[in-house]
Amino acid sequence: MPSSRSLAALTGITVLGIALTACQDQASGQIVARNDARIVETISNTSIHGCHRFPEGVTHVENFTQSSLMMYTTPDCSVPPGGQSVYLNMQASDHAVRSTGLWRSFSFAPE
């Protein structure tokens, strides 16, 4: 009997370790993207890796995650010549400036 308890405990610890490791690859919380007053997309617990595209350009982003974002006017998270990205801190919101154009993508800022 003791060996089956040890095996069960080891299996439980392994599963917990895998679950905790997987959570580190996700931003806990929500990102709400709007175009004026209309919600375009609500994203929950998304991956912190790579570039994320909005389905259309957005004017306002609310970051209710525990991670900071970089906002881009391009669909591929690149900064166009003469342009810039916008840093959006965790638990903050911001509006796109009409002169720079709508936000089309975001990535998570390195921490």
Side-chain angles (χ1 to χ4, degrees), residues 32-60:
V32 179
R34 300 176 186 271
N35 194 333
D36 295 321
R38 182 176 54 85
I39 293 178
V40 171
E41 183 174 27
T42 300
I43 305 163
S44 298
N45 304 325
T46 190
S47 170
I48 60 170
H49 302 291
C51 180
H52 304 275
R53 293 180 68 176
F54 295 116
E56 62 182 76
V58 299
T59 58
H60 185 233

Side-chain angles (χ1 to χ4, degrees), residues 9-27:
L10 183 59
T11 302
I13 291 170
T14 303
V15 169
L16 180 62
I18 290 170
L20 290 175
T21 302
C23 291
Q24 292 175 352
D25 288 340
Q26 292 182 333

Side-chain angles (χ1 to χ4, degrees), residues 31-89:
I31 298 167
V32 179
R34 300 176 186 271
N35 194 333
D36 295 321
R38 182 176 54 85
I39 293 178
V40 171
E41 183 174 27
T42 300
I43 305 163
S44 298
N45 304 325
T46 190
S47 170
I48 60 170
H49 302 291
C51 180
H52 304 275
R53 293 180 68 176
F54 295 116
E56 62 182 76
V58 299
T59 58
H60 185 233
V61 174
E62 296 170 311
N63 180 11
F64 298 116
T65 70
Q66 298 298 314
S67 302
S68 299
L69 304 177
M70 298 300 295
M71 308 298 301
Y72 303 92
T73 57
T74 60
D76 62 353
C77 296
S78 63
V79 178
Q84 63 181 0
S85 59
V86 173
Y87 180 85
L88 182 57
N89 205 0

